[in-house]
Amino acid sequence: MTEKASRVKQFKIVVERHSDGYVAYPLGLQGVVVGQGNTYEEALEDAKSAIRFHIESFGQDALDPDDPVLEVTIEEAAVGYCWRSFPSILLGGASFAPWSASVSAFSGAETTYP
């Protein structure tokens, strides 16, 4: 019989509200773990359950002890972008749409990425 050690670890969990419900995901965990629900509480509980399952499945390797998330800051930033599409005839019928982006910081400085 294998004995399991029970531990408790604090996680920072981001909960996003969308038009069709809530999505929640933890920070500081290796891999992709997502919870969802119709309410904030449902999404948070689903994320906790997903975290538990992820750690029980992948063990200590799922944790990121060398780089814990100390603080979370949400910033809103304006990002301009331009979507250019090329005629598919030039690419042998395949569609291809490279992009370029321009990022403006609140200071008014602008950097363009081709």
Side-chain angles (χ1 to χ4, degrees):
M1 182 164 111
T2 305
E3 228 179 278
K4 288 187 177 182
S6 182
R7 295 184 182 159
V8 175
K9 178 168 173 47
Q10 291 290 118
F11 286 94
K12 290 176 178 60
I13 300 176
V14 176
V15 181
E16 299 177 356
R17 181 174 175 230
H18 295 266
S19 63
D20 59 346
Y22 292 81
V23 174
Y25 51 92
L27 303 175
L29 194 62
Q30 299 291 328
V32 178
V33 177
V34 179
Q36 64 179 10
N38 292 323
T39 66
Y40 179 95
E41 292 79 13
E42 286 177 5
L44 187 59
E45 285 305 313
D46 196 40
K48 288 181 191 178
S49 176
I51 292 167
R52 198 173 303 111
F53 178 78
H54 190 73
I55 293 172
E56 288 172 357
S57 298
F58 296 103
Q60 292 293 321
D61 292 340
L63 303 174
D64 194 359
D66 295 332
D67 192 19
V69 176
L70 302 176
E71 183 176 312
V72 179
T73 303
I74 305 291
E75 293 290 335
E76 189 168 306
V79 177
Y81 60 91
C82 177
W83 188 266
R84 295 177 282 179
S85 66
F86 290 90
S88 61
I89 190 78
L90 298 176
L91 300 168
S95 61
F96 177 70
W99 58 272
S100 67
S102 174
V103 180
S104 292
F106 291 106
S107 65
E110 187 169 291
T111 304
T112 301
Y113 301 94

